[in-house]
Amino acid sequence: HQTTLTERPLITWTGTVDNQPVKRVIWSPSRPCVFFILDKVNRVHLWDLGAGDIYPAHTAQFPADINSISLNCETGDPRQRQMLAVGFQDARVEIYHLKEDYRAVDDETCDLELDRFLHYVSII
């Protein structure tokens, strides 16, 4: 049985935000340096490794218990806005638009960011 995992992670953060357990991690479908973390205390953290890796670029606290989060798929249409769906314990779902900054404008921009990210993880 062969695995696709390398022997060690590219990067590790311990105690990412206030040492709260992580419930879910989602990579952006269009930005290689952007991912989202849902923690146990109902916060969604947006990490943009292109901007920095010490703190999340944005954190949203939700007052109700979150069961899941999901991003819409990338269609390649530059007019499409990136959206985040948040599913709550009370069976409610809310959809949020993300800032344009968190979506790649085109394939070239995405490729440049991917190159930057791969360089970043190669030097740490």
Side-chain angles (χ1 to χ4, degrees):
H1 177 264
Q2 194 173 28
T3 179
T4 57
L5 295 176
T6 59
E7 290 183 24
R8 66 178 188 87
L10 294 173
I11 188 169
T12 301
W13 290 275
T14 55
T16 52
V17 182
D18 302 332
N19 291 317
Q20 291 299 323
V22 172
K23 290 174 61 174
R24 178 108 196 245
V25 177
I26 301 174
W27 282 100
S28 168
S30 70
R31 293 267 322 272
C33 288
V34 172
F35 63 94
F36 300 80
I37 293 177
L38 169 62
D39 71 19
K40 190 173 179 174
V41 293
N42 303 308
R43 294 179 298 188
V44 176
H45 307 278
L46 183 152
W47 288 78
D48 182 353
L49 301 179
D53 67 350
I54 297 174
Y55 301 106
H58 185 75
T59 296
Q61 174 72 58
F62 289 86
D65 290 339
I66 298 174
N67 280 348
S68 71
I69 60 173
S70 183
L71 294 170
N72 62 318
C73 62
E74 181 62 46
T75 64
D77 183 346
R79 298 169 296 168
Q80 176 189 358
R81 293 199 51 196
Q82 186 78 50
M83 293 179 281
L84 174 72
V86 181
F88 296 92
Q89 182 71 31
D90 64 4
R92 182 170 37 100
V93 175
E94 295 178 354
I95 309 292
Y96 295 91
H97 281 279
L98 300 177
K99 290 181 179 180
E100 294 292 326
D101 301 350
Y102 301 119
R103 182 178 182 278
V105 179
D106 53 34
D107 288 343
E108 184 178 336
T109 304
C110 184
D111 290 343
L112 287 171
E113 183 168 318
L114 181 57
D115 288 343
R116 239 188 357 235
F117 174 71
L118 293 174
H119 174 71
Y120 166 76
V121 296
S122 74
I123 61 174
I124 53 173

